Amino acid sequence: MAVYTHVPAEDLAVFLQRYDVGVLKSAKGIAEGVENSNYLVETSQARFILTLYEKRVNRAELPFFLGLMSHLAAAGLPCPEPIRDRSGQALQELHGRAACLIEFVPGLSLAEPTAPHCFAVGQALAKLHLAAKSYTGRRTNDLSLAGWQQLAARCGAAADTVQAGLSQRIAAELTKLTAAWPTGFDQCVIHADLFPDNVLFDGETVAGLIDFYFAAYDLRLYDLAVTHSAWCFNATGEVFHVGRSHALIDGYATIFPIQRDERDALPVLCRGAALRFLLTRLYDWQNRAPGALVTPKDPLAFDRRLAFYQQPGLAL
Amino acid sequence: MAVYTHVPAEDLAVFLQRYDVGVLKSAKGIAEGVENSNYLVETSQARFILTLYEKRVNRAELPFFLGLMSHLAAAGLPCPEPIRDRSGQALQELHGRAACLIEFVPGLSLAEPTAPHCFAVGQALAKLHLAAKSYTGRRTNDLSLAGWQQLAARCGAAADTVQAGLSQRIAAELTKLTAAWPTGFDQCVIHADLFPDNVLFDGETVAGLIDFYFAAYDLRLYDLAVTHSAWCFNATGEVFHVGRSHALIDGYATIFPIQRDERDALPVLCRGAALRFLLTRLYDWQNRAPGALVTPKDPLAFDRRLAFYQQPGLAL
């Protein structure tokens, strides 16, 4: 949540001359995105987000992400469109960073979405999947089963310093999920990180879907599971909102019907989603730099979700 | 340069209902201001900056600062106007912080202003002084001579860990300035921190003067000296730009003539300005917290400016 790379206004003004977007009028560094530096840029014609990709982003993957955003925007999804310069290029270089000028989408990210918001997000996610079906770009999800096993190994027994028994619980869950993970379900490119911060609302209407930098080719309903784990609990993971849960799944099903076997698999997919965020948060927690600009998020908020999804006989 | 207090969009939307400003459409935390949290807020009617005042700000002084901004805006200066709620109140409370919704002023802060920019800033500063003459609010400048002496005492001999001999040079300069500081010159409420970050340009026109939170009643030409020290050197203080210096002073003099004795006093006033920022930067440097969100600025950049202004026979 910070600007890591500072770009003087004079350099921004020169940079924008590559595009047909008018003249720079205002630029504010915004506290958005954990991984990148972002500026809200206003020209004589429109507003944009300028993203500078910091070190943790794999530059070779940027064409996949930007291509996906263009593809979804062209399909009518409210996804911000990467802007092309006069030579047709979207991916740029600025101040030693890969960079992209992206359409600005107004709207509000909600801290406590209601059931109608969740219904709208379910519909938007299903529409995203429908449109993503025809996207030919491919990226392996390095944060699926194999990735979780690597992360768990790197976190190791130190997980127990966060909570006694945590490393053992993670190991047991990995064993269960490896055995129970669904195969044969529909796959496509998924968002894989559709948290409330990444959805912009105008009232109860989804006005923007943003931050595609975890998108990958994976089980379509795993994306619904990620979204479920992100939208249907309070921040600490202690309160499950059953109304939001029904609304999210029902909204999805109005666009993309959910089969009986898919519905039955939702709890295990949600366990995977909860474990994924437990592990990445745990890793970030263990590896936080003293002086870092970003406060790591509490891993246990997803351990609690995992415990919820592990309930025997749970139906979602 | 960060958002310290996070306000959920839902709370912002409710907060804005106190005003006649329309409905919240977008809110982005912006990386602006070292001391406070700032949001760029868009409603159905206009854009605003919402400032939440963090701990270092003395709440009792906020009416002075906000009153000054209103006074200057009413006088036609391009200063953002604090917005009043339906009961006429500008100073508010939000999430345990004093807060104010302020007009958004578009424009660009320059890293390397040119002589025409400096001329325009000189004129804007003189106009600000003309308008401030009729502002009846008063605040003592706690960062003038007495304040510098206190800061120097608190920094102490540890200054020498930044550069050998620094504490001794500071002590000697304080002695000189105490003897040579002008008395009897014109006073009014001054900005006291008009760095390039605090001036927004539209081309070569000053479109905004912002960040009045160091404003105080003091020598009018000390404000020109502060502005001189901020605009007429490169960032490290190693390069003096004589063209900018002449333009700044000439611009000021077109609006508010400078008398012979005032002009002769400029070098000593600039020495004071350089020492003020040397000392506050040194203090912040020595007292930086290990995980702080703000990277302290280099104190020596103002030690170099001080050395420039100390040159025997210097005429500005």
Side-chain angles (χ1 to χ4, degrees):
Chain A
M1 299 282 285
V3 173
Y4 303 89
T5 303
H6 180 73
V7 184
E10 292 95 326
D11 297 0
L12 274 182
V14 170
F15 175 76
L16 290 180
Q17 291 171 2
R18 300 181 197 182
Y19 303 87
D20 280 317
V21 294
V23 175
L24 182 64
K25 290 289 175 190
S26 169
K28 303 279 181 201
I30 59 174
E32 194 132 313
V34 171
E35 308 278 332
N36 301 316
S37 297
N38 288 290
Y39 287 85
L40 178 51
V41 162
E42 184 183 1
T43 73
S44 46
Q45 288 181 14
R47 281 184 288 165
F48 304 92
I49 299 288
L50 174 68
T51 299
L52 284 86
Y53 300 96
E54 300 293 338
K55 288 166 204 158
R56 269 176 79 162
V57 173
N58 179 352
R59 202 172 177 126
E61 294 182 331
L62 288 173
F64 169 83
F65 300 131
L66 299 179
L68 175 62
M69 291 159 70
S70 291
H71 180 87
L72 296 175
L77 271 288
C79 304
E81 182 145 20
I83 308 298
R84 293 172 190 279
D85 67 11
R86 290 200 186 81
S87 70
Q89 190 66 25
L91 183 56
Q92 306 282 348
E93 169 108 17
L94 180 60
H95 267 243
R97 298 275 182 275
C100 189
L101 188 70
I102 299 169
E103 188 189 356
F104 172 76
V105 180
L108 296 171
S109 298
L110 303 177
E112 287 293 340
T114 64
H117 293 119
C118 291
F119 189 86
V121 166
Q123 290 194 313
L125 183 66
K127 287 177 188 168
L128 186 157
H129 290 161
L130 274 179
K133 283 270 174 197
S134 54
Y135 183 55
T136 53
R138 287 293 174 269
R139 177 176 177 265
T140 302
N141 190 0
D142 50 19
L143 288 172
S144 188
L145 265 178
W148 306 338
Q149 275 151 351
Q150 283 173 15
L151 271 174
R154 287 161 82 180
C155 291
D160 297 334
T161 61
V162 174
Q163 192 172 78
L166 184 57
S167 67
Q168 184 48 48
R169 287 210 306 287
I170 289 171
E173 182 64 18
L174 272 172
T175 305
K176 290 255 188 195
L177 287 181
T178 305
W181 200 243
T183 51
F185 282 164
D186 192 25
Q187 300 197 53
C188 65
V189 170
I190 65 172
H191 185 286
D193 191 38
L194 199 64
F195 276 58
D197 332 18
N198 293 332
V199 178
L200 302 169
F201 282 95
D202 180 7
E204 289 176 354
T205 304
V206 173
L209 301 168
I210 61 173
D211 205 345
F212 285 85
Y213 303 108
F214 287 101
Y217 189 77
D218 206 339
L219 294 175
R220 189 164 50 74
L221 287 178
Y222 173 64
D223 216 8
L224 181 59
V226 165
T227 310
H228 191 276
S229 74
W231 288 75
C232 302
F233 297 81
N234 75 338
T236 63
E238 288 162 309
V239 179
F240 172 66
H241 294 287
V242 65
R244 294 189 200 172
S245 171
H246 288 148
L248 176 72
I249 296 170
D250 291 352
Y252 189 91
T254 60
I255 306 292
F256 222 134
I258 300 175
Q259 308 307 321
R260 188 67 254 167
D261 57 342
E262 292 175 331
R263 185 105 189 193
D264 292 344
L266 272 185
V268 75
L269 290 166
C270 288
R271 284 167 68 160
L275 184 67
R276 174 256 189 262
F277 291 99
L278 166 58
L279 284 168
T280 48
R281 286 186 173 199
L282 181 63
Y283 182 82
D284 289 344
W285 187 272
Q286 291 179 348
N287 295 280
R288 63 193 186 279
L293 290 168
V294 175
T295 311
K297 294 173 179 162
D298 180 14
L300 295 178
F302 276 82
D303 189 39
R304 294 187 197 103
R305 286 163 166 86
L306 179 58
F308 174 86
Y309 291 128
Q310 286 170 334
Q311 291 174 91
L314 176 71
L316 291 175
Chain B
M1 298 282 286
V3 173
Y4 303 90
T5 303
H6 180 72
V7 185
E10 291 94 327
D11 297 359
L12 275 182
V14 170
F15 175 76
L16 291 180
Q17 291 170 3
R18 300 181 197 183
Y19 303 88
D20 280 318
V21 295
V23 176
L24 182 63
K25 291 289 174 190
S26 168
K28 303 279 180 202
I30 59 175
E32 193 131 314
V34 170
E35 308 278 331
N36 301 318
S37 296
N38 288 289
Y39 287 86
L40 178 52
V41 162
E42 184 182 2
T43 73
S44 46
Q45 287 181 14
R47 282 184 287 166
F48 305 93
I49 298 290
L50 173 68
T51 299
L52 283 87
Y53 300 95
E54 302 292 338
K55 288 166 203 159
R56 268 177 79 163
V57 173
N58 180 352
R59 205 171 175 125
E61 294 183 332
L62 288 173
F64 168 83
F65 300 132
L66 299 178
L68 176 62
M69 290 159 71
S70 292
H71 181 87
L72 295 175
L77 270 286
C79 303
E81 183 145 19
I83 309 297
R84 293 172 190 278
D85 68 11
R86 290 199 186 81
S87 71
Q89 191 67 24
L91 183 56
Q92 306 282 349
E93 169 108 16
L94 180 60
H95 268 242
R97 299 274 182 274
C100 189
L101 187 70
I102 298 168
E103 187 189 357
F104 172 76
V105 180
L108 297 171
S109 298
L110 303 177
E112 287 294 340
T114 63
H117 293 119
C118 291
F119 189 87
V121 166
Q123 289 193 315
L125 183 67
K127 287 177 188 168
L128 186 158
H129 290 161
L130 274 178
K133 282 270 173 195
S134 54
Y135 183 55
T136 53
R138 287 291 175 267
R139 177 178 177 263
T140 302
N141 191 0
D142 49 21
L143 288 172
S144 188
L145 263 178
W148 307 339
Q149 275 151 352
Q150 283 174 14
L151 271 174
R154 288 161 80 181
C155 292
D160 297 334
T161 62
V162 174
Q163 192 173 77
L166 185 56
S167 67
Q168 183 47 48
R169 286 210 306 287
I170 290 171
E173 182 65 15
L174 273 171
T175 305
K176 289 256 187 190
L177 287 181
T178 305
W181 200 243
T183 52
F185 283 165
D186 193 24
Q187 298 199 53
C188 65
V189 171
I190 66 172
H191 185 287
D193 191 36
L194 199 64
F195 275 58
D197 334 16
N198 293 333
V199 178
L200 301 169
F201 282 96
D202 180 7
E204 288 176 355
T205 305
V206 174
L209 302 168
I210 61 174
D211 204 345
F212 286 83
Y213 303 107
F214 287 100
Y217 190 77
D218 204 340
L219 293 175
R220 188 165 50 72
L221 287 178
Y222 172 63
D223 215 8
L224 180 59
V226 166
T227 309
H228 191 277
S229 73
W231 289 75
C232 302
F233 296 81
N234 73 338
T236 64
E238 288 162 310
V239 179
F240 172 67
H241 294 287
V242 65
R244 296 189 199 171
S245 170
H246 287 149
L248 175 73
I249 297 169
D250 290 353
Y252 189 92
T254 60
I255 306 291
F256 221 134
I258 302 174
Q259 308 306 320
R260 186 70 252 166
D261 56 342
E262 292 176 331
R263 185 109 191 189
D264 291 344
L266 272 185
V268 74
L269 291 166
C270 288
R271 284 168 68 162
L275 183 67
R276 175 256 188 262
F277 290 100
L278 165 58
L279 283 168
T280 49
R281 287 186 171 199
L282 181 64
Y283 181 82
D284 289 343
W285 187 271
Q286 290 178 350
N287 295 281
R288 64 191 185 280
L293 290 167
V294 175
T295 311
K297 293 174 180 162
D298 180 15
L300 295 178
F302 276 82
D303 188 40
R304 295 186 198 106
R305 286 163 165 86
L306 179 57
F308 173 86
Y309 291 128
Q310 286 170 332
Q311 292 172 88
L314 176 71
L316 291 174

